[in-house]
Amino acid sequence: MEDNQIMITLEDGSELLCSVILTYHNDETGYDYVVFEMSDGNVSAARYDESDTEGGALSDLETDEEWEMINEVLEDYYDSLDEEDDFDGE
């Protein structure tokens, strides 16, 4: 498994290899988040707790506010990529 990939366990117990898009720490919530793309192209996010002895644990986002925050962070990330492309093309 590459550094930019994570294995997630689905509710049915099956595992899915996902590509990490970005990680983010929110000072207000105190949580770390990981945003990832699943093999079907869908994008999702989870809280990340590095204190787990197995190298880290993911847990579901619990509030609409968390999802809104992640959506804003992801939009900013994609906007920054677009700006880099614009700059590189000049």
Side-chain angles (χ1 to χ4, degrees):
M1 185 167 37
E2 296 179 28
D3 287 341
N4 65 340
Q5 295 180 323
I6 58 172
M7 186 71 69
I8 61 168
T9 303
L10 303 175
E11 290 177 0
D12 65 3
S14 63
E15 293 185 327
L16 183 63
L17 186 63
C18 300
S19 298
V20 174
I21 297 172
L22 63 91
T23 58
Y24 173 72
H25 176 79
N26 184 290
D27 289 330
E28 288 181 29
T29 65
Y31 293 117
D32 293 312
Y33 298 91
V34 60
V35 180
F36 52 90
E37 181 177 5
M38 297 180 283
S39 58
D40 63 4
N42 287 321
V43 173
S44 192
R47 287 185 188 167
Y48 176 71
D49 180 7
E50 193 172 11
S51 65
D52 185 271
T53 58
E54 297 293 316
L58 298 177
S59 59
D60 292 335
L61 302 186
E62 296 180 358
T63 66
D64 289 340
E65 289 80 13
E66 280 183 302
W67 281 109
E68 290 171 14
M69 179 260 313
I70 289 295
N71 282 330
E72 288 176 17
V73 168
L74 193 56
E75 284 180 26
D76 290 345
Y77 172 74
Y78 286 136
D79 287 346
S80 72
L81 291 179
D82 287 343
E83 288 173 9
E84 285 179 19
D85 287 343
D86 290 345
F87 182 73
D88 290 340
E90 292 183 339

